[in-house]
């Protein structure tokens, strides 16, 4: 048995994500015993008293509180998970950095690129490790596909297609949670789902440099759901109708960094869409990358599968490959292909990467620079949707998606 190193964990907000983070920490000694990391669940905060109590009674925290400052002030807390609604992220993350605590912040980092910049600056100033909850890049099939792209197995990358389509608000009686209120959430589906897709393509292909976008709000009002109750999947009968203040659907055309070794010099174009009101897809979060010698398709609804076309003669098309031992961390969770991993496992991998980074080991995890990079694309998309024109995206250096040392994931960038 490896020597055990205890890491004190504080949690801020015990909603859906707070519970998922807590399970992820608890899973670390189970799935990664060789690391010798033993998370100790020290204290959890939620303004909803019943949720703070749940953290103690069910999740196993030693203490619950309704004041998040108590989490940051606690001397036994080394790392903090920030799973609060978006409007609290910037303040709490900056407070965490000032308290010298490493933080794992849920996406989108800030409500705007400016807020995320402030968080990033605070983390830099304090020299604390950060992580941002871009879990889909942890899927073993994505790690495998990323490597194929980096090794040039798809040839020169030509174009990218992605659609993150959810139905959590497809029903007009779907709750108006904090996600639909601009002051509380920032953008709508752009920050909520498109940010994930942007990060995924940054991770696999490279940075978006320019964007044009269009957005729409399909339902202009919804029944209100009080903060700290239910989830954003809730259906509210005969509720108080309040206005929806941000977009339900967004589409973008993007240009990725210009390939420097390409014969044609033509840019890599992406078409990316996101919806929270799609009828049909449940959580169909898909990405496709096409190259001159092959392509892949992946969808979270079938996250253990990869559709691959490699060096195929014309008319052969895709082969479905099931994630197995040679795919990322798959074998940590299941002994063989065909027995699927699930959403929580992606968060367990994320917790491992965060804790390794906290302990000083490079883990190529998504951090606040990746959060800033995605946020800048979202901000540019919002400007484009308003003005109707293409918008340049200010580039962020040293993101983990680019492989911190400046090595870009895709060979032809
Ligand atoms: N990575 C992902 O796949 C993913 C999925 C869902 C949510 N998220 C993100 O996670 C965050 C939380 O989302 P959620 O779905 O868990 O929300 P939620 O509404 O389920 O939970 C939010 C919790 O925050 C609490 N809260 C409100 N004000 C607080 C305060 N001042 N101090 C402490 N707690 C407070 C509420 O009482 C509630 O329990 C959001 O930023 C969201 O975008 C990420």
């Amino acid at each position: 048995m490896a020597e055990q190193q205890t890491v004190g964990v504080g949690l801020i907000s015990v909603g859906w994500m707070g519970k998922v983070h807590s399970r992820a920490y608890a899973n670390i000694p189970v799935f990664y015993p060789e690391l010798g990391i033993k998370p100790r669940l020290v204290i959890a905060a939620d303004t909803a008293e019943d949720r703070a109590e749940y953290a103690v009674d069910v999740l196993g925290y030693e203490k619950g509180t309704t004041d998040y400052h108590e989490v940051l002030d606690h001397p036994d807390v080394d790392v903090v998970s920030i799973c609060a609604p978006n409007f609290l992220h910037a303040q709490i993350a900056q407070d965490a950095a000032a308290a010298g605590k490493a933080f794992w912040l849920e996406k989108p980092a800030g409500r705007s690129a400016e807020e995320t910049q402030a968080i990033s600056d605070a983390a830099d100033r304090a020299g604390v490790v950060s992580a941002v909850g871009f879990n889909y890049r942890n899927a073993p099939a994505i790690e495998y596909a990323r490597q194929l792209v980096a090794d040039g197995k798809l040839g020169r990358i030509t174009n990218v297609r992605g659609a993150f389509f959810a139905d959590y608000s497809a029903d007009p009686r779907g709750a108006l949670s904090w996600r639909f209120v601009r002051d509380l959430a920032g953008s709508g589906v752009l920050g909520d789902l498109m940010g994930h897709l942007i990060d995924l393509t940054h991770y696999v292909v490279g940075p978006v440099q320019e964007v044009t976008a269009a957005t729409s709000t399909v339902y202009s009002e919804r029944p209100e759901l009080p903060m700290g109750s239910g989830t954003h999947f809730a259906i509210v009968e005969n509720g108080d109708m309040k206005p929806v203040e941000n977009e339900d659907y967004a589409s973008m055309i993007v240009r990725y960094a210009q390939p420097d070794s390409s014969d044609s010099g033509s840019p890599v174009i992406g078409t990316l869409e996101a919806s929270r009101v799609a009828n049909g897809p449940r959580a169909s979060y898909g990405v496709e990358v096409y190259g001159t010698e092959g392509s892949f398709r992946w969808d979270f609804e079938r996250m253990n599968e990869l559709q691959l076309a490699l060096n195929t003669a014309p008319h052969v098309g895709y082969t479905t490959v099931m994630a197995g031992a040679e795919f990322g961390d798959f074998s940590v969770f299941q002994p063989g292909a065909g027995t699927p991993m699930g959403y929580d496992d992606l968060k367990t991998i994320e917790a491992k990467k965060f804790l390794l980074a906290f302990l000083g080991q490079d883990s190529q995890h998504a951090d606040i620079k990746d959060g800033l990079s995605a946020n800048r694309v979202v901000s540019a998309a919002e400007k484009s949707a308003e003005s109707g024109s293409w918008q340049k995206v200010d580039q962020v250096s040293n993101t983990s998606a680019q492989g911190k040392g400046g090595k870009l994931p895709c060979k032809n960038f």
Side-chain angles (χ1 to χ4, degrees), residues 13-17 45-48 51 83-86 88-89 106-108 133 135-136 178-179 192 196 227-228 343 347:
S13 296
V14 196
W16 178 25
M17 274 306 108
D46 199 296
T47 39
R51 294 190 171 190
C83 300
N86 303 352
L88 294 166
H89 288 188
E106 264 309 329
K107 49 53 57 178
N135 26 265
Y136 300 107
W178 56 264
R179 282 174 163 76
D192 195 33
H196 273 302
M227 179 73 81
Y343 177 81
K347 283 302 207 195

Side-chain angles (χ1 to χ4, degrees), residues 176-406:
L176 186 126
S177 66
W178 56 264
R179 282 174 163 76
F180 296 79
V181 181
R182 193 155 277 279
D183 268 358
L184 303 182
S187 59
V189 79
L190 273 170
D192 195 33
L193 294 178
M194 188 70 94
H196 273 302
L197 176 55
I198 294 164
D199 180 69
L200 211 46
T201 71
H202 281 176
Y203 190 56
V204 174
V205 176
V208 168
Q209 296 209 315
E210 233 180 327
V211 58
T212 183
T215 60
S216 70
T217 302
V218 175
Y219 296 106
S220 58
E221 48 178 32
R222 291 180 176 279
E224 196 177 26
L225 179 79
M227 179 73 81
S229 63
T231 73
H232 59 293
F233 295 87
I235 301 290
V236 182
E237 301 283 359
N238 307 316
D240 233 1
M241 298 301 276
K242 290 278 164 64
V244 170
E245 296 177 353
N246 50 29
E247 71 292 339
D248 288 327
Y249 168 85
S251 69
M252 317 195 303
I253 302 177
V254 299
R255 287 195 191 104
Y256 292 91
Q258 186 81 14
D260 52 25
S261 62
S262 111
D263 296 336
S264 67
S266 61
V268 177
I269 306 282
T271 58
L272 309 180
E273 290 179 280
S275 174
R276 60 187 179 190
V277 294
N279 265 302
R282 310 304 314 259
S284 177
Y285 304 156
V287 67
E288 305 171 11
V289 175
Y290 295 86
T292 51
E293 290 172 41
S295 65
F296 80 81
R297 281 180 175 177
W298 177 83
D299 188 324
F300 174 64
E301 284 188 355
R302 305 180 79 89
M303 77 170 224
N304 296 282
E305 293 177 12
L306 195 60
Q307 303 269 304
L308 268 184
L310 291 179
N311 295 315
T312 52
H315 317 305
V316 172
Y318 285 111
T319 301
T320 301
V321 182
M322 304 209 81
E326 64 285 7
F327 281 54
D329 277 12
F330 185 89
S331 60
V332 166
F333 296 88
Q334 300 296 348
T339 306
M341 286 172 61
Y343 177 81
D344 268 32
D345 298 331
L346 304 186
K347 283 302 207 195
T348 299
I349 296 172
E350 200 166 281
K352 175 204 74 168
K353 290 179 173 180
F354 171 51
L355 292 173
L356 281 178
F358 169 68
L359 294 171
Q361 294 176 44
D362 183 19
S363 70
Q364 292 263 307
H365 69 294
D367 66 10
I368 193 64
K369 298 275 191 284
D370 297 284
L372 180 58
S373 188
N375 255 176
R376 283 191 181 169
V377 178
V378 166
S379 288
E382 284 184 303
K383 279 192 199 129
S384 170
E386 237 178 80
S387 68
S389 57
W390 280 86
Q391 297 288 322
K392 290 225 176 310
V393 179
D394 286 339
Q395 297 299 293
V396 179
S397 51
N398 253 351
T399 65
S400 76
Q402 295 167 354
K404 297 205 160 122

